[in-house]
Amino acid sequence: MSTVPPTIHEIMLRAQAAHTAIPGFNIPYLPMMEPVARALRDTRCFGLVMVARLEWEKFAAGGVKPIYETYQQVKDERFSRLHLDHVPVIDEDNLLVDYEAILAEAATLGYDSIMIDGSRLSLDDNIAATRRIVDMAHGRGVAVEAELGAVMGHESGPMPPYEELFASGKGFTDPDEARRFVAETGVDWLSVAIGSVHGAISATARREKKLEARLSIERLDALRETTGVPLVLHGGTGVKKECVLESVRHGIAKINIATAIRQPYEALMDADPEGALQAVYEATVAVVRDDLELMNSVDILNPGA
Ligand code: 13P
């Protein structure tokens, strides 16, 4: 007798209940996907394979369809699902995006979950846009992540000094706004701003080493109380290890990782393409095993796999 595999919505709720997390790995170059999928299998870690719009606009991910097709060739559903990361309403260059068409294409193709990023909008406009995407996606059985607050770093301009940013709490997600946002949108998971920043993606800064970020566990506790849904940590590369592990105990159920696997690939991709793939494999294993301590998480998240 065959059993129906759990949906990513169910698996995220298991992660939340068990105080563990699901790492999501971004794929800016299609060949990176196979070593990531293999690393998840070899470490028996349940994870998400992800692509964000900026990864086909500014890198070489191809688009919604090429990523979907590549995933069909490498996937092992015991250990992963496919997620469409950041589709912004207004992008990092302040341009309006045809976000509804991109998200609908992914939901129709068969992505397991999708993210609308209305974080550059007013609260009311973010709620309205997210609500529309939730209605569309839930009708197709697809889970939705949204963002409230400002996880900075993707913009090309200079960032304020990190310690200043952290001390002021500027851009951190407001717990009362988050309560209203979740209640009015019906979103499944919420990306929150609690101190992390995205790795730089501009052509000039994308090779720089990421700063070491900290997290406000106090703010995270307040957000967990007011929202009740699984919370997502973006900008997962380079966050102080003790902060990450504590955040998982306090409600972070998904951690996005891009820079930690992209930079080792880019360092070798022209001179040694085979070595670049091996570097992605090793970097993914190191994130799972050493940074996040998530080896064997499949035994909790998808038992029997
Ligand atoms: P990093 O580049 O810091 O790993 O951030 C990834 C991310 O949050 C993608 O959504």
Side-chain angles (χ1 to χ4, degrees):
M1 199 180 78
S2 68
T3 49
V4 182
T7 64
I8 188 56
H9 181 252
E10 291 164 334
I11 294 175
M12 277 285 276
L13 291 176
R14 288 178 192 170
Q16 182 191 26
H19 299 284
T20 187
I22 298 172
F25 289 100
N26 286 82
I27 308 293
Y29 302 90
L30 291 171
M32 287 175 61
M33 200 187 294
E34 191 281 329
V36 166
R38 187 155 38 90
L40 288 172
R41 197 175 59 235
D42 289 353
T43 55
R44 294 189 51 75
C45 172
F46 190 91
L48 285 165
V49 171
M50 314 197 299
V51 67
R53 172 184 175 267
L54 65 85
E55 284 161 333
W56 66 78
E57 292 287 336
K58 303 203 164 161
F59 296 89
V64 168
K65 198 150 181 257
I67 281 278
Y68 179 80
E69 285 167 352
T70 307
Y71 183 68
Q72 300 315 304
Q73 287 159 26
V74 307
K75 72 177 179 184
D76 183 336
E77 292 222 295
R78 294 172 300 170
F79 302 105
S80 70
R81 295 289 184 279
L82 181 63
H83 176 73
L84 180 60
D85 187 27
H86 289 285
V87 178
V89 178
I90 298 174
D91 75 7
E92 58 284 347
D93 300 320
N94 265 320
L95 299 173
L96 274 175
V97 174
D98 191 5
Y99 66 98
E100 293 194 74
I102 298 170
L103 289 158
E105 184 190 358
T108 306
L109 256 180
Y111 278 62
D112 298 288
S113 50
I114 57 179
M115 179 190 186
I116 166 167
D117 176 1
S119 64
R120 293 187 183 90
L121 303 175
S122 68
L123 177 61
D124 285 342
D125 289 351
N126 191 354
I127 288 174
T130 302
R131 175 79 249 172
R132 272 201 305 280
I133 296 305
V134 167
D135 287 344
M136 176 278 291
H138 283 183
R140 294 166 164 86
V142 175
V144 180
E145 175 179 333
E147 183 164 294
L148 186 64
V151 181
M152 293 193 236
H154 278 161
E155 301 79 7
S156 49
M159 273 225 308
Y162 178 74
E163 282 308 323
E164 219 171 85
L165 205 72
F166 190 84
S168 70
K170 193 169 165 273
F172 281 18
T173 310
D174 179 90
D176 290 324
E177 289 188 1
R179 183 203 311 273
R180 187 182 150 209
F181 187 89
V182 170
E184 293 185 15
T185 60
V187 77
D188 298 284
W189 322 323
L190 185 65
S191 162
V192 290
I194 55 170
S196 61
V197 293
H198 286 114
I201 49 133
S202 70
T204 46
R206 62 172 65 163
R207 278 162 202 256
E208 285 169 13
K209 187 174 170 4
K210 248 198 102 175
L211 58 83
E212 190 182 52
R214 296 185 285 127
L215 301 174
S216 168
I217 300 298
E218 206 180 311
R219 180 60 65 101
L220 175 59
D221 283 340
L223 290 164
R224 192 188 64 244
E225 291 294 318
T226 57
T227 62
V229 295
L231 300 177
V232 181
L233 180 70
H234 281 244
T237 300
V239 180
K240 239 178 165 23
K241 179 169 172 173
E242 69 225 41
C243 286
V244 178
L245 297 186
E246 212 187 340
S247 77
V248 173
R249 292 193 288 272
H250 288 252
I252 291 294
K254 170 173 175 279
I255 303 174
N256 285 18
I257 307 283
T259 308
I261 62 168
R262 172 178 56 77
Q263 287 183 337
Y265 183 78
E266 287 177 329
L268 289 174
M269 65 183 187
D270 295 330
D272 178 9
E274 280 303 311
L277 296 178
Q278 181 61 18
V280 171
Y281 176 82
E282 285 168 14
T284 308
V285 169
V287 167
V288 167
R289 185 190 55 204
D290 307 332
D291 300 344
L292 305 180
E293 299 187 355
L294 288 173
M295 274 183 83
N296 300 316
S297 67
V298 77
D299 296 333
I300 297 167
L301 297 176
N302 194 14

